[in-house]
Coordinates of all heavy atoms in Angstrom, one line a residue:
Q1 N -14.4 -5.2 4.4 CA -13.8 -5.5 3.1 C -12.8 -4.5 2.7 O -13.1 -3.3 2.9 CB -14.9 -5.7 2.0 CG -14.4 -6.1 0.7 CD -15.6 -6.1 -0.4 OE1 -16.7 -5.6 -0.1 NE2 -15.3 -6.7 -1.5
L2 N -11.7 -4.9 2.2 CA -10.7 -4.0 1.7 C -10.6 -4.2 0.2 O -10.4 -5.3 -0.3 CB -9.3 -4.3 2.4 CG -9.3 -4.2 3.9 CD1 -8.0 -4.7 4.5 CD2 -9.5 -2.7 4.3
V3 N -10.6 -3.1 -0.5 CA -10.5 -3.1 -2.0 C -9.4 -2.2 -2.4 O -9.5 -1.0 -2.3 CB -11.9 -2.7 -2.6 CG1 -11.8 -2.7 -4.1 CG2 -13.0 -3.6 -2.1
E4 N -8.4 -2.8 -3.0 CA -7.3 -2.1 -3.5 C -7.4 -1.8 -5.0 O -8.0 -2.6 -5.7 CB -6.0 -2.8 -3.3 CG -5.7 -3.1 -1.8 CD -6.2 -4.5 -1.4 OE1 -7.0 -5.1 -2.1 OE2 -5.8 -4.9 -0.2
S5 N -6.9 -0.7 -5.5 CA -7.0 -0.3 -6.9 C -5.9 0.6 -7.2 O -5.2 1.1 -6.4 CB -8.4 0.3 -7.2 OG -8.5 1.5 -6.5
G6 N -5.7 0.8 -8.6 CA -4.7 1.7 -9.0 C -3.5 1.1 -9.6 O -2.6 1.9 -10.1
G7 N -3.3 -0.2 -9.5 CA -2.1 -0.8 -10.1 C -2.1 -0.8 -11.6 O -3.1 -0.4 -12.2
G8 N -1.0 -1.3 -12.2 CA -0.9 -1.3 -13.6 C 0.5 -1.5 -14.0 O 1.4 -1.8 -13.2
L9 N 0.7 -1.4 -15.3 CA 2.0 -1.5 -15.9 C 2.6 -0.1 -16.1 O 2.0 0.8 -16.7 CB 2.0 -2.2 -17.3 CG 3.2 -2.3 -18.1 CD1 4.3 -3.1 -17.4 CD2 2.9 -2.9 -19.5
V10 N 3.8 0.1 -15.6 CA 4.5 1.4 -15.7 C 6.0 1.2 -16.0 O 6.6 0.2 -15.6 CB 4.3 2.2 -14.4 CG1 4.9 1.5 -13.2 CG2 4.7 3.6 -14.5
Q11 N 6.5 2.1 -16.7 CA 8.0 2.0 -17.0 C 8.8 2.5 -15.8 O 8.3 3.2 -14.9 CB 8.3 3.0 -18.2 CG 7.7 2.5 -19.5 CD 8.1 3.4 -20.7 OE1 8.6 4.5 -20.5 NE2 8.0 2.8 -21.9
P12 N 10.0 2.0 -15.7 CA 10.9 2.4 -14.7 C 11.0 3.9 -14.6 O 11.1 4.6 -15.7 CB 12.2 1.8 -15.1 CG 11.9 0.6 -15.8 CD 10.6 1.0 -16.6
G13 N 10.9 4.5 -13.4 CA 10.9 5.9 -13.3 C 9.6 6.5 -13.2 O 9.4 7.7 -12.9
G14 N 8.6 5.8 -13.5 CA 7.2 6.3 -13.6 C 6.5 6.3 -12.2 O 7.2 6.0 -11.2
S15 N 5.3 6.7 -12.2 CA 4.5 6.8 -10.9 C 3.2 6.2 -11.0 O 2.6 6.0 -12.1 CB 4.3 8.3 -10.6 OG 5.5 9.0 -10.5
L16 N 2.7 5.8 -9.9 CA 1.3 5.2 -9.7 C 0.8 5.7 -8.4 O 1.6 5.9 -7.4 CB 1.3 3.7 -9.8 CG 1.5 3.0 -11.1 CD1 1.6 1.5 -10.9 CD2 0.3 3.3 -12.1
R17 N -0.5 5.8 -8.3 CA -1.2 6.1 -7.0 C -2.2 4.9 -6.7 O -3.1 4.7 -7.5 CB -1.9 7.4 -7.1 CG -2.4 7.8 -5.7 CD -3.3 9.0 -5.8 NE -3.6 9.7 -4.6 CZ -4.8 10.3 -4.3 NH1 -5.7 10.3 -5.2 NH2 -4.9 10.9 -3.1
L18 N -1.9 4.3 -5.7 CA -2.8 3.2 -5.2 C -3.8 3.7 -4.2 O -3.5 4.6 -3.4 CB -2.0 2.0 -4.6 CG -0.9 1.5 -5.4 CD1 -0.2 0.3 -4.7 CD2 -1.3 1.1 -6.8
S19 N -5.0 3.1 -4.3 CA -6.0 3.4 -3.3 C -6.5 2.2 -2.6 O -6.5 1.1 -3.2 CB -7.2 4.1 -4.0 OG -6.9 5.3 -4.6
C20 N -6.9 2.3 -1.4 CA -7.5 1.2 -0.6 C -8.8 1.7 0.1 O -8.7 2.6 1.0 CB -6.5 0.7 0.4 SG -7.2 -0.5 1.6
A21 N -9.9 1.2 -0.3 CA -11.2 1.6 0.3 C -11.6 0.5 1.2 O -11.6 -0.6 0.9 CB -12.2 1.9 -0.8
A22 N -12.0 0.9 2.4 CA -12.5 0.0 3.4 C -14.0 0.1 3.6 O -14.5 1.2 3.7 CB -11.8 0.2 4.7
S23 N -14.6 -1.0 3.7 CA -16.1 -1.0 4.0 C -16.3 -2.0 5.1 O -15.6 -3.1 5.1 CB -16.9 -1.4 2.8 OG -16.6 -2.6 2.3
G24 N -17.1 -1.7 6.1 CA -17.4 -2.6 7.2 C -16.4 -2.4 8.3 O -16.5 -3.1 9.4
Y25 N -15.4 -1.6 8.1 CA -14.4 -1.3 9.1 C -14.4 0.2 9.3 O -14.5 1.0 8.4 CB -13.0 -1.7 8.8 CG -12.8 -3.2 8.4 CD1 -12.5 -3.6 7.1 CD2 -13.0 -4.2 9.4 CE1 -12.3 -4.9 6.8 CE2 -12.8 -5.5 9.0 CZ -12.5 -5.9 7.8 OH -12.3 -7.2 7.4
I26 N -14.2 0.6 10.6 CA -13.9 2.0 10.8 C -12.4 2.2 10.7 O -11.6 2.1 11.7 CB -14.4 2.5 12.2 CG1 -15.9 2.1 12.4 CG2 -14.2 4.0 12.4 CD1 -16.5 2.4 13.7
F27 N -11.9 2.4 9.5 CA -10.5 2.4 9.2 C -9.7 3.4 10.0 O -8.6 3.2 10.3 CB -10.4 2.7 7.7 CG -9.4 1.8 7.0 CD1 -9.0 0.6 7.5 CD2 -8.9 2.2 5.7 CE1 -8.1 -0.2 6.8 CE2 -8.0 1.4 5.0 CZ -7.6 0.2 5.6
S28 N -10.4 4.5 10.4 CA -9.7 5.6 11.0 C -9.1 5.2 12.4 O -8.2 5.9 12.9 CB -10.6 6.8 11.1 OG -11.7 6.5 11.9
I29 N -9.7 4.2 13.0 CA -9.2 3.8 14.3 C -7.9 2.9 14.3 O -7.3 2.7 15.3 CB -10.3 3.1 15.2 CG1 -10.6 1.7 14.6 CG2 -11.5 4.0 15.3 CD1 -11.5 0.9 15.5
Y30 N -7.6 2.5 13.1 CA -6.5 1.6 13.0 C -5.2 2.3 12.5 O -5.3 3.3 11.7 CB -6.8 0.5 11.9 CG -7.9 -0.5 12.3 CD1 -9.2 -0.3 11.9 CD2 -7.6 -1.6 13.1 CE1 -10.2 -1.2 12.3 CE2 -8.6 -2.5 13.4 CZ -9.8 -2.3 13.0 OH -10.8 -3.2 13.4
D31 N -4.1 1.8 12.9 CA -2.8 2.1 12.2 C -3.0 1.2 10.9 O -3.3 0.0 11.0 CB -1.6 1.7 13.0 CG -1.5 2.5 14.2 OD1 -2.1 3.5 14.4 OD2 -0.7 2.0 15.1
V32 N -2.6 1.8 9.8 CA -2.8 1.1 8.5 C -1.5 1.1 7.7 O -0.7 2.0 7.8 CB -3.9 1.8 7.7 CG1 -4.2 1.1 6.3 CG2 -5.2 1.9 8.5
G33 N -1.4 0.0 6.9 CA -0.2 -0.1 6.1 C -0.4 -0.6 4.7 O -1.5 -1.2 4.4
W34 N 0.5 -0.4 3.8 CA 0.6 -1.0 2.5 C 1.6 -2.1 2.6 O 2.7 -1.9 3.0 CB 0.9 0.0 1.4 CG -0.3 0.8 1.0 CD1 -0.6 2.1 1.4 CD2 -1.3 0.5 0.0 NE1 -1.8 2.5 0.8 CE2 -2.2 1.5 -0.1 CE3 -1.5 -0.7 -0.8 CZ2 -3.3 1.5 -0.9 CZ3 -2.6 -0.7 -1.6 CH2 -3.5 0.4 -1.7
Y35 N 1.2 -3.3 2.1 CA 2.1 -4.4 2.0 C 2.3 -4.8 0.6 O 1.4 -4.5 -0.3 CB 1.5 -5.6 2.8 CG 1.1 -5.4 4.2 CD1 0.1 -4.6 4.6 CD2 1.9 -6.0 5.2 CE1 -0.3 -4.4 6.0 CE2 1.6 -5.8 6.6 CZ 0.5 -5.0 6.9 OH 0.2 -4.9 8.3
R36 N 3.3 -5.5 0.3 CA 3.5 -6.0 -1.1 C 4.1 -7.4 -1.0 O 4.8 -7.8 -0.1 CB 4.4 -5.1 -1.9 CG 5.8 -5.1 -1.6 CD 6.5 -4.1 -2.4 NE 8.0 -4.0 -2.1 CZ 8.8 -3.1 -2.6 NH1 8.3 -2.2 -3.5 NH2 10.1 -3.1 -2.3
Q37 N 3.7 -8.2 -2.1 CA 4.3 -9.5 -2.2 C 4.7 -9.8 -3.6 O 3.9 -9.8 -4.5 CB 3.2 -10.6 -1.8 CG 3.8 -12.0 -1.7 CD 2.8 -13.0 -1.1 OE1 1.6 -12.7 -0.9 NE2 3.3 -14.1 -0.6
A38 N 6.0 -9.9 -3.8 CA 6.6 -10.2 -5.1 C 6.5 -11.7 -5.3 O 6.5 -12.5 -4.3 CB 8.0 -9.7 -5.2
P39 N 6.5 -12.2 -6.6 CA 6.5 -13.6 -6.8 C 7.7 -14.3 -6.1 O 8.8 -13.9 -6.2 CB 6.7 -13.7 -8.4 CG 6.2 -12.4 -8.8 CD 6.5 -11.4 -7.8
G40 N 7.3 -15.4 -5.4 CA 8.3 -16.2 -4.7 C 8.8 -15.6 -3.4 O 9.8 -16.1 -2.8
K41 N 8.3 -14.5 -3.0 CA 8.7 -13.8 -1.8 C 7.6 -13.7 -0.8 O 6.4 -13.8 -1.1 CB 9.3 -12.4 -2.1 CG 10.6 -12.5 -3.0 CD 11.2 -11.1 -3.1 CE 12.5 -11.2 -3.9 NZ 13.1 -9.8 -4.0
Q42 N 8.0 -13.4 0.5 CA 7.0 -13.2 1.5 C 6.4 -11.8 1.4 O 7.1 -10.9 0.9 CB 7.6 -13.4 2.9 CG 8.0 -14.9 3.2 CD 8.4 -15.1 4.7 OE1 9.0 -14.2 5.3 NE2 8.0 -16.2 5.2
R43 N 5.2 -11.7 1.9 CA 4.6 -10.4 2.0 C 5.3 -9.5 3.0 O 5.7 -9.9 4.0 CB 3.1 -10.5 2.4 CG 2.3 -9.3 2.2 CD 0.8 -9.6 2.4 NE 0.3 -10.6 1.5 CZ -0.9 -11.1 1.4 NH1 -1.8 -10.7 2.4 NH2 -1.3 -11.9 0.5
E44 N 5.6 -8.2 2.6 CA 6.3 -7.3 3.4 C 5.5 -6.0 3.6 O 4.9 -5.6 2.6 CB 7.7 -7.1 2.9 CG 7.7 -6.4 1.5 CD 9.1 -6.0 1.0 OE1 10.0 -5.9 1.8 OE2 9.2 -5.7 -0.2
L45 N 5.7 -5.4 4.7 CA 5.1 -4.1 4.9 C 6.1 -3.0 4.4 O 7.3 -3.0 4.7 CB 4.9 -3.8 6.4 CG 4.4 -2.5 6.9 CD1 3.0 -2.3 6.4 CD2 4.5 -2.4 8.4
V46 N 5.6 -2.1 3.5 CA 6.4 -1.1 2.9 C 6.1 0.3 3.4 O 7.0 1.1 3.3 CB 6.3 -1.2 1.3 CG1 6.9 -2.5 0.8 CG2 4.9 -0.9 0.8
A47 N 4.9 0.5 3.9 CA 4.6 1.9 4.4 C 3.5 1.8 5.4 O 2.5 1.0 5.2 CB 4.2 2.8 3.2
G48 N 3.5 2.6 6.4 CA 2.5 2.6 7.4 C 2.1 4.0 7.8 O 2.9 4.9 7.7
I49 N 0.9 4.1 8.3 CA 0.4 5.4 8.8 C -0.4 5.1 10.0 O -1.3 4.3 10.0 CB -0.3 6.2 7.7 CG1 -0.7 7.6 8.3 CG2 -1.6 5.5 7.2 CD1 -1.2 8.6 7.2
T50 N -0.1 5.8 11.1 CA -0.8 5.6 12.4 C -2.2 6.4 12.3 O -2.4 7.2 11.4 CB 0.0 6.1 13.6 OG1 0.1 7.5 13.5 CG2 1.4 5.5 13.6
S51 N -3.0 6.1 13.3 CA -4.3 6.8 13.4 C -4.1 8.2 13.6 O -4.9 9.1 13.2 CB -5.1 6.2 14.5 OG -4.5 6.2 15.7
G52 N -2.9 8.6 14.2 CA -2.6 10.0 14.4 C -1.9 10.7 13.2 O -1.7 11.9 13.3
G53 N -1.6 9.9 12.2 CA -1.0 10.5 11.0 C 0.5 10.4 10.8 O 1.1 10.8 9.8
S54 N 1.2 9.7 11.8 CA 2.6 9.5 11.6 C 2.9 8.4 10.6 O 2.1 7.4 10.5 CB 3.2 9.1 13.0 OG 3.1 10.1 13.9
T55 N 3.9 8.6 9.8 CA 4.2 7.6 8.8 C 5.6 7.0 9.0 O 6.5 7.5 9.6 CB 4.2 8.3 7.4 OG1 5.2 9.4 7.4 CG2 2.8 8.9 7.1
N56 N 5.7 5.8 8.4 CA 7.0 5.1 8.4 C 7.1 4.3 7.1 O 6.1 3.9 6.6 CB 7.2 4.3 9.7 CG 6.1 3.3 9.9 OD1 6.1 2.2 9.3 ND2 5.1 3.7 10.7
Y57 N 8.3 4.0 6.7 CA 8.6 3.4 5.4 C 9.7 2.4 5.5 O 10.6 2.6 6.3 CB 8.9 4.4 4.4 CG 7.9 5.5 4.1 CD1 7.9 6.7 4.9 CD2 6.8 5.3 3.2 CE1 6.9 7.6 4.7 CE2 5.8 6.2 3.1 CZ 5.9 7.4 3.8 OH 4.9 8.3 3.6
A58 N 9.6 1.4 4.7 CA 10.7 0.4 4.6 C 11.9 1.2 3.9 O 11.6 2.1 3.0 CB 10.3 -0.8 3.7
D59 N 13.1 0.8 4.2 CA 14.2 1.5 3.6 C 14.2 1.4 2.0 O 14.6 2.4 1.4 CB 15.5 0.9 4.1 CG 15.8 1.2 5.5 OD1 15.2 2.2 6.0 OD2 16.6 0.5 6.1
S60 N 13.6 0.4 1.5 CA 13.6 0.2 0.1 C 12.7 1.2 -0.7 O 12.9 1.4 -1.9 CB 13.2 -1.3 -0.3 OG 11.9 -1.5 0.2
V61 N 11.8 1.8 0.0 CA 10.9 2.7 -0.7 C 11.0 4.1 -0.1 O 10.3 5.1 -0.6 CB 9.4 2.2 -0.6 CG1 9.3 0.8 -1.1 CG2 8.9 2.3 0.8
K62 N 11.8 4.3 0.9 CA 11.9 5.6 1.6 C 12.3 6.7 0.6 O 13.3 6.5 -0.2 CB 12.8 5.5 2.8 CG 12.7 6.6 3.8 CD 13.5 6.3 5.0 CE 13.0 5.1 5.8 NZ 13.8 4.8 7.0
G63 N 11.6 7.8 0.6 CA 11.9 8.9 -0.3 C 11.2 8.8 -1.7 O 11.3 9.7 -2.5
R64 N 10.6 7.6 -1.9 CA 10.0 7.4 -3.2 C 8.4 7.2 -3.1 O 7.7 7.6 -3.9 CB 10.5 6.2 -4.0 CG 12.0 6.3 -4.2 CD 12.5 5.2 -5.1 NE 12.3 3.9 -4.5 CZ 11.6 2.9 -5.0 NH1 10.9 3.0 -6.1 NH2 11.5 1.7 -4.3
F65 N 8.0 6.6 -2.0 CA 6.6 6.3 -1.7 C 6.1 7.2 -0.6 O 6.8 7.6 0.3 CB 6.4 4.9 -1.3 CG 6.7 3.8 -2.3 CD1 7.2 4.1 -3.6 CD2 6.3 2.5 -2.1 CE1 7.4 3.2 -4.5 CE2 6.5 1.5 -3.0 CZ 7.1 1.9 -4.3
T66 N 4.8 7.6 -0.7 CA 4.2 8.4 0.3 C 2.8 7.8 0.6 O 2.0 7.6 -0.3 CB 4.0 9.8 -0.2 OG1 5.3 10.4 -0.5 CG2 3.4 10.7 0.9
I67 N 2.6 7.5 1.9 CA 1.3 7.0 2.3 C 0.5 8.1 2.9 O 1.0 9.0 3.6 CB 1.5 5.8 3.3 CG1 0.1 5.2 3.6 CG2 2.2 6.3 4.6 CD1 0.3 3.9 4.5
S68 N -0.8 8.1 2.6 CA -1.7 9.1 3.2 C -3.1 8.5 3.4 O -3.3 7.4 2.9 CB -1.8 10.3 2.3 OG -2.3 10.0 1.0
R69 N -3.9 9.2 4.1 CA -5.2 8.6 4.4 C -6.2 9.7 4.4 O -5.9 10.9 4.8 CB -5.2 7.8 5.7 CG -5.1 8.7 7.0 CD -4.8 7.8 8.2 NE -5.8 6.8 8.4 CZ -5.6 5.8 9.3 NH1 -4.5 5.7 10.0 NH2 -6.5 4.9 9.4
D70 N -7.5 9.4 4.0 CA -8.6 10.3 4.1 C -9.6 9.6 5.0 O -10.3 8.7 4.6 CB -9.2 10.5 2.7 CG -10.3 11.6 2.7 OD1 -11.0 11.7 3.7 OD2 -10.4 12.3 1.7
K71 N -9.7 10.1 6.2 CA -10.5 9.4 7.2 C -12.0 9.5 6.8 O -12.8 8.6 7.0 CB -10.3 9.9 8.6 CG -8.9 9.5 9.2 CD -8.8 10.0 10.6 CE -7.5 9.5 11.2 NZ -7.3 9.9 12.6
A72 N -12.4 10.6 6.3 CA -13.8 10.9 5.9 C -14.2 9.9 4.8 O -15.4 9.5 4.8 CB -14.0 12.3 5.4
K73 N -13.3 9.5 3.9 CA -13.6 8.6 2.9 C -13.2 7.1 3.2 O -13.4 6.2 2.4 CB -12.8 9.0 1.6 CG -13.3 10.3 1.0 CD -12.6 10.6 -0.3 CE -13.1 11.9 -0.9 NZ -12.4 12.2 -2.2
N74 N -12.7 6.9 4.4 CA -12.3 5.6 4.9 C -11.3 5.0 3.8 O -11.4 3.8 3.5 CB -13.5 4.7 5.1 CG -13.4 3.8 6.3 OD1 -12.7 4.2 7.2 ND2 -14.2 2.7 6.3
T75 N -10.4 5.8 3.4 CA -9.5 5.3 2.3 C -8.1 5.7 2.6 O -7.8 6.7 3.2 CB -9.9 6.0 1.0 OG1 -11.3 5.7 0.7 CG2 -9.0 5.6 -0.2
V76 N -7.2 4.8 2.2 CA -5.7 5.0 2.3 C -5.1 5.0 0.9 O -5.6 4.2 0.1 CB -5.1 3.9 3.2 CG1 -3.6 4.1 3.3 CG2 -5.7 4.0 4.6
Y77 N -4.1 5.8 0.7 CA -3.5 5.9 -0.6 C -2.0 5.6 -0.4 O -1.4 5.7 0.6 CB -3.6 7.4 -1.1 CG -5.0 7.8 -1.2 CD1 -5.6 8.6 -0.2 CD2 -5.9 7.5 -2.3 CE1 -6.9 9.0 -0.2 CE2 -7.2 7.9 -2.3 CZ -7.7 8.7 -1.3 OH -9.0 9.1 -1.4
L78 N -1.4 5.2 -1.6 CA 0.1 5.1 -1.7 C 0.5 5.7 -3.0 O 0.2 5.2 -4.0 CB 0.5 3.6 -1.6 CG 2.0 3.4 -1.5 CD1 2.6 3.9 -0.2 CD2 2.3 1.9 -1.7
Q79 N 1.2 6.8 -2.9 CA 1.8 7.5 -4.0 C 3.2 6.9 -4.2 O 4.0 7.0 -3.3 CB 1.9 9.0 -3.8 CG 2.5 9.7 -5.0 CD 1.7 9.7 -6.2 OE1 0.5 9.9 -6.2 NE2 2.4 9.5 -7.4
M80 N 3.4 6.3 -5.4 CA 4.6 5.7 -5.7 C 5.3 6.4 -6.8 O 4.8 6.5 -8.0 CB 4.4 4.2 -6.1 CG 3.6 3.4 -5.0 SD 3.5 1.7 -5.3 CE 2.6 1.7 -6.9
N81 N 6.5 7.0 -6.6 CA 7.3 7.7 -7.6 C 8.6 7.0 -7.8 O 9.0 6.1 -7.0 CB 7.5 9.1 -7.1 CG 6.2 9.9 -6.9 OD1 5.2 9.7 -7.6 ND2 6.2 10.8 -6.0
S82 N 9.2 7.3 -8.9 CA 10.5 6.7 -9.3 C 10.5 5.2 -9.1 O 11.4 4.6 -8.5 CB 11.6 7.3 -8.3 OG 11.7 8.7 -8.4
L83 N 9.5 4.6 -9.7 CA 9.4 3.2 -9.6 C 10.5 2.4 -10.3 O 11.1 2.8 -11.3 CB 8.0 2.8 -10.2 CG 6.8 3.1 -9.3 CD1 5.5 3.1 -10.1 CD2 6.7 2.1 -8.2
K84 N 10.8 1.3 -9.6 CA 11.9 0.4 -10.1 C 11.4 -0.9 -10.4 O 10.3 -1.3 -9.9 CB 13.0 0.3 -9.0 CG 13.5 1.6 -8.5 CD 14.5 1.4 -7.3 CE 15.1 2.7 -6.8 NZ 16.0 2.5 -5.7
P85 N 12.0 -1.7 -11.2 CA 11.6 -3.1 -11.5 C 11.4 -3.9 -10.3 O 10.5 -4.7 -10.2 CB 12.7 -3.6 -12.4 CG 13.2 -2.4 -13.1 CD 13.2 -1.3 -12.1
E86 N 12.2 -3.7 -9.3 CA 12.1 -4.4 -8.0 C 10.8 -4.1 -7.2 O 10.5 -4.7 -6.2 CB 13.3 -4.3 -7.2 CG 13.8 -2.9 -6.9 CD 14.9 -2.5 -7.9 OE1 14.8 -2.7 -9.1 OE2 15.8 -1.8 -7.4
D87 N 10.1 -3.0 -7.6 CA 8.8 -2.7 -7.0 C 7.7 -3.5 -7.5 O 6.6 -3.5 -7.0 CB 8.5 -1.2 -7.2 CG 9.5 -0.3 -6.5 OD1 9.9 -0.6 -5.3 OD2 9.9 0.7 -7.1
T88 N 8.0 -4.3 -8.5 CA 6.9 -5.2 -9.1 C 6.4 -6.2 -8.1 O 7.2 -6.9 -7.4 CB 7.5 -5.9 -10.3 OG1 7.8 -5.0 -11.3 CG2 6.5 -7.0 -10.8
A89 N 5.1 -6.1 -7.8 CA 4.5 -7.0 -6.8 C 3.0 -6.8 -6.8 O 2.5 -5.8 -7.4 CB 5.1 -6.6 -5.4
A90 N 2.3 -7.6 -6.0 CA 0.9 -7.4 -5.7 C 0.9 -6.5 -4.4 O 1.6 -6.9 -3.5 CB 0.2 -8.7 -5.5
Y91 N 0.1 -5.5 -4.4 CA 0.1 -4.6 -3.3 C -1.2 -4.7 -2.6 O -2.3 -4.7 -3.2 CB 0.3 -3.1 -3.8 CG 1.7 -2.8 -4.1 CD1 2.3 -3.3 -5.2 CD2 2.5 -2.0 -3.2 CE1 3.7 -3.1 -5.5 CE2 3.8 -1.8 -3.5 CZ 4.4 -2.3 -4.7 OH 5.7 -2.0 -4.9
Y92 N -1.1 -4.7 -1.2 CA -2.3 -4.9 -0.4 C -2.3 -3.9 0.7 O -1.2 -3.4 1.2 CB -2.3 -6.3 0.3 CG -2.2 -7.5 -0.7 CD1 -1.0 -7.9 -1.1 CD2 -3.3 -8.2 -1.0 CE1 -0.9 -9.0 -2.0 CE2 -3.2 -9.3 -1.9 CZ -2.0 -9.7 -2.4 OH -1.9 -10.7 -3.2
C93 N -3.5 -3.5 1.2 CA -3.5 -2.7 2.4 C -4.1 -3.6 3.6 O -4.8 -4.6 3.3 CB -4.4 -1.5 2.2 SG -6.1 -1.8 1.9
N94 N -3.8 -3.2 4.8 CA -4.4 -3.9 5.9 C -4.0 -3.0 7.1 O -3.2 -2.1 7.0 CB -3.8 -5.3 6.1 CG -4.8 -6.2 6.8 OD1 -5.3 -5.9 7.9 ND2 -5.0 -7.4 6.2
S95 N -4.5 -3.4 8.3 CA -4.1 -2.7 9.5 C -2.6 -3.2 9.8 O -2.1 -4.1 9.2 CB -5.0 -3.1 10.6 OG -5.0 -4.5 10.9
V96 N -2.0 -2.4 10.7 CA -0.7 -2.8 11.2 C -0.8 -3.0 12.7 O -1.1 -2.1 13.5 CB 0.3 -1.7 10.9 CG1 1.7 -2.1 11.4 CG2 0.4 -1.4 9.4
P97 N -0.6 -4.2 13.2 CA -0.4 -5.5 12.4 C -1.6 -5.8 11.6 O -2.7 -5.3 11.8 CB -0.1 -6.5 13.5 CG -0.8 -6.0 14.7 CD -0.7 -4.5 14.7
S98 N -1.5 -6.8 10.8 CA -2.6 -7.2 9.8 C -3.6 -8.0 10.5 O -3.5 -9.2 10.7 CB -2.0 -8.0 8.6 OG -1.2 -9.1 9.1
L99 N -4.7 -7.3 11.0 CA -5.8 -7.9 11.7 C -7.0 -8.2 10.9 O -7.9 -8.9 11.3 CB -6.1 -7.1 12.9 CG -5.0 -6.7 13.9 CD1 -5.5 -5.7 14.9 CD2 -4.5 -8.0 14.6
L100 N -7.1 -7.5 9.8 CA -8.3 -7.6 9.0 C -8.2 -8.6 7.9 O -7.1 -9.1 7.5 CB -8.6 -6.2 8.3 CG -8.5 -5.0 9.3 CD1 -8.7 -3.7 8.6 CD2 -9.6 -5.2 10.4
S101 N -9.3 -9.0 7.3 CA -9.3 -9.9 6.1 C -8.6 -9.2 4.9 O -8.9 -8.1 4.6 CB -10.7 -10.3 5.8 OG -11.3 -11.0 6.8
W102 N -7.7 -10.0 4.3 CA -7.0 -9.4 3.1 C -7.9 -9.2 1.9 O -8.8 -10.0 1.7 CB -5.9 -10.3 2.7 CG -4.8 -10.4 3.7 CD1 -4.6 -11.4 4.7 CD2 -3.7 -9.5 3.9 NE1 -3.5 -11.1 5.4 CE2 -2.9 -9.9 5.0 CE3 -3.3 -8.3 3.3 CZ2 -1.7 -9.2 5.4 CZ3 -2.2 -7.6 3.7 CH2 -1.4 -8.1 4.8
G103 N -7.7 -8.1 1.2 CA -8.4 -7.9 -0.1 C -7.7 -8.7 -1.2 O -6.7 -9.5 -0.9
K104 N -8.1 -8.4 -2.4 CA -7.5 -9.2 -3.5 C -6.2 -8.5 -4.0 O -5.4 -9.1 -4.7 CB -8.5 -9.2 -4.7 CG -9.7 -10.0 -4.4 CD -10.7 -10.1 -5.6 CE -11.9 -10.9 -5.3 NZ -12.8 -11.0 -6.4
G105 N -5.9 -7.3 -3.5 CA -4.7 -6.7 -3.9 C -4.8 -6.0 -5.3 O -5.8 -6.2 -6.0
T106 N -3.8 -5.3 -5.6 CA -3.7 -4.7 -7.0 C -2.2 -4.9 -7.5 O -1.3 -4.7 -6.7 CB -4.0 -3.2 -6.9 OG1 -4.1 -2.7 -8.3 CG2 -3.1 -2.3 -6.1
L107 N -2.1 -5.3 -8.7 CA -0.8 -5.7 -9.3 C -0.1 -4.5 -9.9 O -0.6 -3.8 -10.7 CB -1.0 -6.8 -10.3 CG 0.3 -7.4 -10.9 CD1 1.1 -8.0 -9.8 CD2 -0.1 -8.3 -12.0
V108 N 1.1 -4.3 -9.5 CA 2.0 -3.3 -10.0 C 3.2 -4.0 -10.7 O 3.9 -4.8 -10.2 CB 2.6 -2.4 -8.9 CG1 3.6 -1.4 -9.4 CG2 1.4 -1.6 -8.2
T109 N 3.3 -3.6 -12.0 CA 4.4 -4.2 -12.8 C 5.2 -3.0 -13.3 O 4.7 -2.1 -14.0 CB 3.9 -5.0 -14.0 OG1 3.0 -6.0 -13.5 CG2 5.0 -5.6 -14.8
V110 N 6.5 -3.0 -13.0 CA 7.4 -2.0 -13.5 C 8.4 -2.6 -14.5 O 9.2 -3.4 -14.1 CB 8.2 -1.4 -12.3 CG1 9.0 -0.2 -12.8 CG2 7.2 -0.9 -11.2
S111 N 8.2 -2.2 -15.7 CA 9.0 -2.9 -16.8 C 9.0 -2.0 -18.0 O 8.1 -1.2 -18.3 CB 8.4 -4.2 -17.1 OG 9.0 -4.8 -18.2
S112 N 10.1 -2.0 -18.7 CA 10.2 -1.3 -20.0 C 9.8 -2.1 -21.1 O 9.8 -1.7 -22.3 CB 11.6 -0.8 -20.1 OG 12.6 -1.8 -20.1

């Protein structure tokens, strides 16, 4: 089970930190990513971290978002800074590629 948390309403330029806790999976063996789905759009991968700790980002979030993981806690994080209205979406975590059952996600709304 994947449980995402940390979303909310934030003003443009603000920050949020999302968390994804995994139970029933040994998360550390997977490459893991944060995905997002905006209304009317397809789900997209915005940040990934390999089991070895290498990271990669979509161009749209590069320099603003940081993905990290705590293997001992079986948890992955997404630090989001300088948020923009176009970052508004439901955010989900999953392996890369997405092999696990999706969680419910956490909603991020960036609006003044």
